[in-house]
Amino acid sequence: MKFPFPGHAPWAWSILLCASLSTWVWPIAAQAQAASAAPVRVEEPSDTDDDDTPAERERARTQRAAAAATPRFEIDMQAPEAIGNFLLRHMEVQRYRELRNLDANELGRLLVLAPANVRELLATLGHFSPQVEVIPPAGLGEAATDADDAERAPRTPFLGTVVVKIAPGPVTQIELVNISFVGDIATAPEAAEQRADIQREAGLIAGLPFSQADWNSTKTAALRALTAKRYPLGRVQNSLADIDAEAHQARLYIELDSGRAMRMGDVVVQGAERYDAITAQRLVRLAGLTEGSDYDLAKLQDAQRRLAETGYYDSAFVYVEPTADGETLPVQVQLREAKRQKVVIGIGGSTDNGARLSFEHIHNQVPGIGWRAVSKIQLEREDQLASTDWSSIPNNDGWRKIVGGQLAKQTDDFTTTTSQRLRAGQTQLGVEFDRSFYLQYDRARVKSSLLAPAAQDDAKSSITANYAWTRRRFDDMVFPNRGYGLAVEVGAGYTLGSDRQPFARTQARWLTYWPLGAIRQAADPVPGQARDVGAPGRRTQLGRLALRVEGGAVVARDSAPIPDTQLFITGGDNTVRGYGLRDIGVPRADGTIGPGRYKGVVSLEWQRPIFNADQRSNWENVLFIDGGAIANKAGDLKPVWGVGTGIRYNSPVGPLQLDLAYGLETRRFRIHLNVGFTF
């Protein structure tokens, strides 16, 4: 084997030179590294002498701390306020303001790079042709001439003020947003609605000023909508923001790859120890996660909600783990079971009934039958209640058996009503529909302190067969903006005792919301933050109207002894504001108010948004008119009215509303408090 020498191969000199240098440089570098790693003690000059008094030493320490906290330089931002604040938060040079070792040369190098950094930041706000000028502090270049001089020169506490002049120029407008699809979603007929929804939501930013935050948010929202149904492995395959800086226009393109459509598989339950795993599997199936159904994130969340609402579990997580290998996704259910028994003590209050104290005992698995029992005692100023409700585990169709009992006492001025109720039947609770049918026994007795014992009425009792049906079609079950709810109850039965007569009872409730005005345009966001352009965030400018209508009737002979708890009475926070609890009814012989056989209630409420600095806040103003009537004859219904206004706060747990109402009949003001939305 022959080796070329430098004379024969001139390039070999370079190799030999590098090798020889490395043999010298490597030991030197290693020594330097070892020296730097070794601990070094630096003696800093002391500002105090041993003879200084404690006050003088404290003053010296204070002066050193103040010098350390003094910024090395300031920035005079000459730009529109919102843009200037954004730049001051994100400029690279801003990070070095309080760096103690920063010298004039280092600041100068930073300022050379500052204009490019500012232009990049302005581009994220849609300004692609700005004028940027960064002016260093006066005399900055004379502070030190070279590195040696900089080391010898004393470092002044303050290097000066950097002036940043910004003329952002016109903002770029989004001309179009184009969404294209590849994969199964591109051709699947059943995915046509999903494609249209993604394109419509992404197009909401068309016509708005471009910002990087909006662009990122749009891509994220499009991907979320893609992976929410059928395609959990979907991804953004390509995206492009085509900016025409001269025309100040942006064209945005997103290409979504759905991959294969995936379907639900078996339900796998983990953590079922106290309670049967079949219960969890049934509830998951009732949410629509049947084997072979399309993957649907909303149904997974519904199944999770159903499990949490049963009371059997402290926490429940329902999820799938998509993989590229298969098309069937086992539904994973992780449970943390609640204890079999629990006691809850509650304290609350209402403007109708004053302070409230409650005791609740929950048994999730009654020995012998495995039912769930909820027993409660509630004490209020006017009402006292003791109840127990037992329910079985739901069957495959979601129906469960129910048995319940209740003892109640109500005090209204000079009248006291004591009642007992027993109920047995079946119920089915769903997301949109609730249904139940049951037999019910009622017994009630009314006593008046104004009447002699001989003049008091005897207890009245009845038994009825009932059916109840409820439908909810609101766009949001916490903060509804549109939609309706309808609840209907019908029943028929007999009065009991010596005078047995048939009667029928029915009542209905209707609640609907109508948005008012045009959709409010997306507000200008804080620079760097995305606009809320989605439908939930862009509610109408004038808020909404809420119309509530209630009606009820008991059809029977005039002589039929129907228990008071089967009749109707109204007034109070949730019915007719401006009147007290159960203030609207039929006058009794002793002058008190009692229930009647016919009921009519109507309420119209205007819920107006409150805007703060052109931004919609969580506060709303409410104007309303309520009316209600109770009578023993349908032709005698004469409504009394209440009008008022209130303030409403949309808290994370639901709306909190405080109203001031004026009763036109009583000519008195009343305060009413409502918490949450239920139907």
Side-chain angles (χ1 to χ4, degrees):
M1 181 179 295
K2 296 182 180 179
F3 295 90
F5 285 93
H8 298 84
W11 49 267
W13 286 108
S14 300
I15 297 177
L16 292 175
L17 179 60
C18 292
S20 61
L21 287 175
S22 64
T23 59
W24 287 96
V25 173
W26 180 83
I28 295 174
Q31 293 174 8
Q33 182 177 4
S36 63
V40 179
R41 183 176 180 181
V42 179
E43 297 292 341
E44 295 186 357
S46 175
D47 294 337
T48 61
D49 296 331
D50 293 339
D51 296 335
D52 288 344
T53 64
E56 292 173 338
R57 288 195 293 271
E58 180 63 26
R59 184 166 56 253
R61 283 193 294 268
T62 302
Q63 292 174 350
R64 291 197 301 272
T70 301
R72 297 290 290 157
F73 63 92
E74 293 289 356
I75 298 177
D76 178 15
M77 180 63 65
Q78 299 180 12
E81 182 178 1
I83 293 177
N85 293 335
F86 171 77
L87 293 175
L88 287 175
R89 287 195 303 270
H90 299 287
M91 283 178 60
E92 186 72 19
V93 70
Q94 176 74 3
R95 298 168 47 194
Y96 299 91
R97 285 182 62 247
E98 297 182 2
L99 185 64
R100 294 184 60 187
N101 295 329
L102 183 70
D103 59 22
N105 279 348
E106 292 167 345
L107 177 59
R109 286 191 291 269
L110 290 172
L111 295 183
V112 171
L113 303 175
N117 176 236
V118 170
R119 289 188 177 91
E120 291 177 358
L121 292 173
L122 290 173
T124 66
L125 304 182
H127 300 282
F128 291 93
S129 55
Q131 296 181 8
V132 179
E133 184 179 5
V134 178
I135 304 174
L140 182 66
E142 302 174 0
T145 56
D146 53 37
D148 294 335
D149 292 338
E151 292 180 1
R152 291 192 298 268
R155 291 179 178 169
T156 60
F158 187 67
L159 295 174
T161 299
V162 177
V163 178
V164 180
K165 296 182 178 181
I166 304 294
V171 65
T172 297
Q173 302 290 323
I174 300 174
E175 183 182 6
L176 67 86
V177 181
N178 181 274
I179 308 293
S180 59
F181 301 93
V182 296
D184 182 81
I185 193 175
T187 57
E190 61 273 16
E193 183 178 355
Q194 187 177 7
R195 292 195 301 268
D197 289 341
I198 294 173
Q199 291 170 333
R200 181 177 61 254
E201 289 296 317
L204 291 176
I205 64 171
L208 297 177
F210 173 86
S211 75
Q212 188 64 41
D214 284 347
W215 178 219
N216 292 340
S217 177
T218 299
K219 290 185 286 187
T220 301
L223 180 60
R224 186 183 298 117
L226 172 66
T227 58
K229 198 169 186 179
R230 296 187 183 89
Y231 309 106
L233 292 178
R235 63 189 181 93
V236 177
Q237 179 163 289
N238 289 301
S239 65
L240 172 66
D242 183 11
I243 307 297
D244 186 342
E246 294 183 358
H248 309 296
Q249 292 180 344
R251 298 175 180 85
L252 308 181
Y253 302 90
I254 303 175
E255 185 178 50
L256 298 175
D257 181 4
S258 67
R260 296 196 307 271
M262 295 195 172
R263 302 185 182 278
M264 296 299 186
D266 295 332
V267 178
V268 181
V269 178
Q270 303 175 29
E273 298 176 358
R274 296 188 182 97
Y275 314 117
D276 196 341
I278 295 177
T279 302
Q281 292 174 343
R282 286 176 179 170
L283 292 170
V284 170
R285 294 303 187 202
L286 289 172
L289 299 177
T290 56
E291 189 171 357
S293 62
D294 289 334
Y295 165 82
D296 194 325
L297 178 61
K299 291 181 179 179
L300 289 171
Q301 294 171 340
D302 179 36
Q304 186 167 295
R305 179 192 61 81
R306 285 173 177 264
L307 290 169
E309 289 179 351
T310 61
Y312 292 114
Y313 312 106
D314 288 334
S315 65
F317 299 96
V318 182
Y319 62 95
V320 296
E321 295 180 339
T323 61
D325 299 332
E327 296 182 1
T328 302
L329 304 173
V331 180
Q332 305 291 335
V333 181
Q334 288 188 350
L335 304 172
R336 184 163 63 88
E337 297 179 323
K339 295 181 178 180
R340 283 191 174 89
Q341 299 189 61
K342 180 171 63 173
V343 175
V344 179
I345 300 176
I347 298 175
S350 68
T351 51
D352 274 342
N353 230 339
R356 178 174 61 250
L357 177 64
S358 64
F359 303 87
E360 187 176 74
H361 174 261
I362 300 173
H363 200 308
N364 282 322
Q365 201 171 50
V366 177
I369 60 175
W371 287 26
R372 186 171 189 263
V374 179
S375 302
K376 184 177 183 179
I377 296 176
Q378 183 170 296
L379 305 175
E380 295 180 287
R381 182 180 59 198
E382 308 293 346
D383 297 349
Q384 292 82 45
L385 174 71
S387 65
T388 183
D389 293 292
W390 295 34
S391 59
S392 68
I393 295 173
N395 61 20
N396 291 329
D397 295 324
W399 288 93
R400 62 178 71 201
K401 297 179 176 66
I402 56 171
V403 174
Q406 175 182 294
L407 302 174
K409 180 181 178 181
Q410 298 177 356
T411 302
D412 299 294
D413 295 329
F414 304 102
T415 302
T416 300
T417 302
T418 56
S419 64
Q420 302 83 41
R421 172 175 292 173
L422 295 175
R423 177 181 292 184
Q426 294 191 32
T427 186
Q428 183 189 51
L429 303 180
V431 178
E432 185 175 337
F433 295 96
D434 292 345
R435 293 178 291 178
S436 59
F437 57 88
Y438 53 90
L439 288 175
Q440 182 169 297
Y441 166 80
D442 286 273
R443 182 180 184 274
R445 186 176 184 184
V446 180
K447 289 185 177 181
S448 173
S449 60
L450 301 178
L451 299 177
Q456 303 286 353
D457 291 335
D458 293 333
K460 301 173 183 178
S461 58
S462 68
I463 187 167
T464 55
N466 303 272
Y467 178 79
W469 177 88
T470 301
R471 185 180 189 183
R472 308 175 189 87
R473 291 294 302 271
F474 300 105
D475 61 343
D476 191 311
M477 289 305 299
V478 180
F479 305 109
N481 189 56
R482 66 174 70 239
Y484 67 89
L486 175 63
V488 178
E489 296 179 25
V490 294
Y494 274 86
T495 61
L496 302 177
S498 59
D499 186 7
R500 298 187 178 182
Q501 296 191 39
F503 71 96
R505 182 181 188 273
T506 182
Q507 68 171 338
R509 293 181 297 128
W510 168 271
L511 175 64
T512 185
Y513 287 89
W514 291 299
L516 295 178
I519 296 292
R520 181 172 175 81
Q521 295 298 318
D524 292 335
V526 176
Q529 298 181 7
R531 295 174 176 84
D532 188 4
V533 298
R538 297 180 64 190
R539 296 194 171 187
T540 53
Q541 295 181 357
L542 300 180
R544 70 201 75 85
L545 282 179
L547 174 65
R548 173 170 49 90
V549 179
E550 300 178 20
V554 173
V555 181
R557 293 177 180 175
D558 293 344
S559 60
I562 299 173
D564 279 26
T565 51
Q566 287 280 46
L567 303 177
F568 306 104
I569 195 167
T570 190
D573 293 342
N574 298 307
T575 54
V576 182
R577 288 162 287 188
Y579 301 87
L581 180 65
R582 299 187 294 270
D583 273 359
I584 303 174
V586 176
R588 290 192 176 103
D590 60 0
T592 60
I593 299 297
R597 296 189 176 189
Y598 292 88
K599 176 181 74 169
V601 174
V602 63
S603 174
L604 183 63
E605 185 172 275
W606 182 13
Q607 301 169 356
R608 304 186 305 164
I610 295 175
F611 295 94
N612 181 17
D614 295 330
Q615 299 285 337
R616 182 180 183 135
S617 70
N618 290 326
W619 294 89
E620 293 181 328
N621 173 242
V622 175
L623 298 174
F624 60 85
I625 177 171
D626 297 344
I630 302 292
N632 282 324
K633 299 288 184 179
D636 295 337
L637 289 171
K638 295 181 180 179
V640 296
W641 300 95
V643 297
T645 184
I647 197 76
R648 167 183 168 128
Y649 176 69
N650 294 319
S651 71
V653 296
L656 173 64
Q657 186 166 322
L658 181 65
D659 298 323
L660 177 63
Y662 179 73
L664 299 182
E665 185 74 14
T666 60
R667 298 185 179 181
R668 293 180 56 186
F669 286 97
R670 294 186 69 94
I671 294 177
H672 299 274
L673 178 66
N674 288 309
V675 179
F677 168 76
T678 57
F679 185 87

